[in-house]
Amino acid sequence: MIGHTAGMTGFMSVFDIPVEQGMKLAIDDVNARGGVLGRPLELISTNNETDTSKIQTAAQDVLDQGADFVVTSCDFDIGGPAARIANEADTIALGCAGGPLFGLDGIGPLTYNFYPGSPTEGALLAEYAMEQGYTRPFVIADQTLEFTQVVGDFFEKRWIDLGGTVAGKETYHNGDESAAAQIGAVQRAQPDVIIAASYPPGGATLLRQLRAAGLSQPILGDTAYDGTYWTDAVPGLSDFTIPSAGALAGDDPVAARNDFFARYTSATGQAPASASYPLFGYSFVQALSRAIERAGSTETAAVQAELDRFTDEDLIVGKTTFTPQCHIPSGRPLVLKTYTDGVPKVVGERSVQSLMGQAPC
């Protein structure tokens, strides 16, 4: 039995609901093939309401209902406490958090992160910016979540590692009504590219005000902007590039993912809000079902040993490697998408070249 404890309401719902829908599709597929070890997979879920005071209780609830494995919210700040509750109960926790502490180093050896992580995002964006010929980046990093803080930090670290200097940097807090301070700083610095490490809805407010102020420079964002559910808040958004685990518009470089999104839309009656999170949900179930079958058991240590043997495991989200020392697949490629008039289009796929020895693996 797989337990999903996540923010099914609140700001995390736009990320966590697609995860659960991806999990349901995968469970249907596994059960249609006879289940795992001859038994059907079951899903139970609880809602932490994106309320930090309710995360641990919601996680304990799925354990009390008999969950053998726990999937958490796809964020370190919201998902991390749930993973700790699971690990304390000798239960494997899976997530897709950007924060590099979601994994072995920050939580424990029973926690597995399926996302390459925010260090990868930040460093990859720096490498991309350098290749595009930019020389004066300005970094705006949202301080609300560890995820966005680390994207901004690792952009700057990798940029300096590549020999560059930043034109300036500012902080931001999701929910701020005005970005006047950030706009003023950018105007004074006159950069040739802006890095907006944030997430909707506040991140959309930031982008809208940057453009309304006449700042027409290219903007680089993070994967939390994936999708188009928020783009009405920034009419005509163009020259905005983000990394993502996949692409929704039929232009994903992996054909199986294009088929998956068509199935998702048919099964749910609507297209997913973003590409990354349904892929993670499906991949959680893929990974667990394979590890359980190979272990011949749902016993924690046996499944853990099989997950730690994953080497380029071909999941829908991409090839995934775990080792006993590394539970974050930081080298997995990400798709790059550029928005033009509010519509994202794939412009490439790339892996980070260097994390300067500072990443989890």
Side-chain angles (χ1 to χ4, degrees):
M1 186 177 293
I2 302 174
H4 185 212
T5 177
M8 308 307 281
T9 55
F11 79 81
M12 283 299 299
S13 63
V14 73
F15 311 118
D16 289 343
I17 288 175
V19 167
E20 181 155 310
Q21 290 170 328
M23 291 171 66
K24 288 178 177 177
L25 282 175
I27 287 171
D28 288 345
D29 287 347
V30 171
N31 289 343
R33 296 191 296 268
V36 178
L37 301 180
R39 298 185 310 220
L41 288 177
E42 297 180 50
L43 175 68
I44 53 175
S45 63
T46 59
N47 180 12
N48 64 37
E49 302 176 31
T50 317
D51 183 338
T52 54
S53 70
K54 298 179 179 179
I55 294 168
Q56 293 173 315
T57 301
Q60 188 61 53
D61 190 10
V62 293
L63 292 169
D64 290 344
Q65 292 183 58
D68 300 294
F69 308 94
V70 172
V71 173
T72 75
S73 285
C74 278
D75 175 72
F76 174 73
D77 300 276
I78 308 299
R84 291 190 187 94
I85 291 294
N87 285 188
E88 288 169 6
D90 193 38
T91 301
I92 290 170
L94 312 180
C96 49
L101 292 178
F102 191 96
L104 189 153
D105 291 341
I107 299 176
L110 296 181
T111 295
Y112 293 81
N113 193 343
F114 281 60
Y115 191 66
S118 43
T120 293
E121 281 195 56
L124 185 149
L125 287 172
E127 293 167 358
Y128 173 76
M130 185 68 72
E131 289 181 9
Q132 294 300 302
Y134 303 129
T135 60
R136 293 180 51 77
F138 192 102
V139 180
I140 303 174
D142 195 321
Q143 301 299 293
T144 316
L145 297 175
E146 186 209 17
F147 161 60
T148 47
Q149 294 177 46
V150 175
V151 170
D153 288 346
F154 265 76
F155 178 93
E156 184 178 3
K157 288 175 181 177
R158 181 61 174 140
W159 185 259
I160 292 171
D161 181 60
L162 289 167
T165 57
V166 297
K169 54 185 178 179
E170 272 285 336
T171 60
Y172 178 75
H173 286 85
N174 218 279
D176 285 352
E177 293 184 2
S178 172
Q182 293 82 4
I183 289 168
V186 173
Q187 289 171 331
R188 290 189 294 273
Q190 298 185 354
D192 55 3
V193 64
I194 300 167
I195 289 74
S198 186
Y199 60 94
T205 300
L206 173 64
L207 295 180
R208 182 177 67 251
Q209 293 189 26
L210 289 170
R211 288 298 192 233
L215 295 168
S216 59
Q217 293 97 326
I219 301 177
L220 307 181
D222 52 63
T223 194
Y225 286 102
D226 188 21
T228 58
Y229 65 93
W230 56 272
T231 53
D232 286 348
V234 196
L237 177 65
S238 294
D239 216 349
F240 177 61
T241 301
I242 65 164
S244 172
L248 295 174
D251 58 344
D252 195 295
V254 177
R257 295 205 288 251
N258 293 316
D259 294 339
F260 168 77
F261 290 126
R263 285 185 55 215
Y264 180 106
T265 301
S266 177
T268 64
Q270 59 184 7
S274 65
S276 298
Y277 300 97
L279 294 173
F280 288 126
Y282 196 95
S283 295
F284 294 147
V285 176
Q286 282 184 310
L288 283 175
S289 60
R290 292 177 191 178
I292 293 167
E293 285 284 1
R294 293 168 190 172
S297 168
T298 58
E299 194 268 326
T300 295
V303 176
Q304 176 190 15
E306 292 302 329
L307 288 171
D308 284 345
R309 294 188 181 102
F310 274 19
T311 302
D312 286 337
E313 190 73 24
D314 195 12
L315 307 177
I316 190 73
V317 76
K319 293 183 177 180
T320 300
T321 296
F322 295 128
T323 73
Q325 295 77 38
C326 173
H327 289 178
I328 301 178
S330 55
R332 187 197 296 134
L334 290 170
V335 173
L336 283 173
K337 298 184 285 192
T338 296
Y339 287 70
T340 303
D341 291 328
V343 179
K345 181 179 179 181
V346 172
V347 294
E349 184 179 40
R350 61 185 300 140
S351 299
V352 70
Q353 298 303 302
S354 173
L355 289 164
M356 304 155 289
Q358 299 179 66
C361 48

